[in-house]
Amino acid sequence: MSRVSDGEILKRGSRTATALLDVSRQEFAELRSVRDAENRAAREVAEFIRADLAIALANQPPPQVTWQK
C-alpha cells in the first residue's frame, strides 16, 4: 500500500492461510470440500489483510483538510 500524494510505501507484505478438508470417495463431495476449504482460506486471508491495513492507516497522521467557500 502506498500513499498517493508522495508515493511512500506504507505497508508491504504477503499472507497465507491453511484450511483443512475432508477427503471423500465420492467425487462431488471431494470437489465441494476443496471449494469450501478454498473459500474459508480466502476469507481468513481477507481478514488478515483488513487488519493489516487498519493498523497501517491508524499509524498515519490525519490528512490536513482546508475548507474553501
Side-chain angles (χ1 to χ4, degrees):
M1 179 173 71
S2 62
R3 188 180 300 133
V4 174
S5 62
D6 60 3
E8 179 185 353
I9 296 176
L10 303 176
K11 181 72 179 171
R12 179 181 299 189
S14 63
R15 292 291 184 183
T16 59
T18 302
L20 302 176
L21 61 100
D22 293 327
V23 178
S24 174
R25 292 184 194 185
Q26 296 178 357
E27 183 179 354
F28 178 77
E30 185 174 345
L31 291 173
R32 183 63 194 219
S33 179
V34 169
R35 185 171 61 175
D36 290 346
E38 289 172 344
N39 288 339
R40 285 193 311 275
R43 282 192 301 271
E44 189 172 340
V45 168
E47 191 61 36
F48 287 151
I49 292 170
R50 219 176 276 121
D52 283 346
L53 291 177
I55 292 168
L57 292 174
N59 292 332
Q60 296 301 308
Q64 297 297 323
V65 178
T66 57
W67 297 96
Q68 297 177 355
K69 286 188 173 184

